[in-house]
Amino acid sequence: MHQPLSSSRRSARLAALLLAMAATSCSNMSQRDQNTAVGAGVGAAAGAILTGGGTLGTLGGAAVGGVIGNQVDPKKK
């Protein structure tokens, strides 16, 4: 028998799908823009998982992840 997914698993799967879609559409973006988008996607997924799919946690995670991704510079050493 098929059991419905919990809201946190649904949110995590949706965030993963959106992250995959964003990663494939980044070909004409700068490296910094790509890092920001990936950071926001990962942050949103983490926020959704940690808060059980809560909207505030997902949005907060996306914001924090986007800022961190924006600050990552692979050329810095």
Side-chain angles (χ1 to χ4, degrees):
M1 181 178 267
H2 177 56
Q3 295 180 357
L5 293 174
S6 68
S7 65
S8 62
R9 285 192 175 221
R10 256 193 314 254
S11 296
R13 285 189 179 187
L14 177 62
L17 175 65
L18 292 174
L19 177 62
M21 289 172 51
T24 59
S25 66
C26 292
S27 62
N28 63 345
M29 296 172 74
S30 70
Q31 184 64 45
R32 174 162 272 169
D33 291 342
Q34 289 178 19
N35 290 345
T36 302
V38 170
V42 171
I49 291 168
L50 292 174
T51 61
T55 303
L56 187 60
T58 303
L59 293 175
V64 170
V67 169
I68 291 171
N70 183 271
Q71 297 303 309
V72 171
D73 187 1
K75 295 177 184 174
K76 272 188 184 175
K77 292 192 179 193

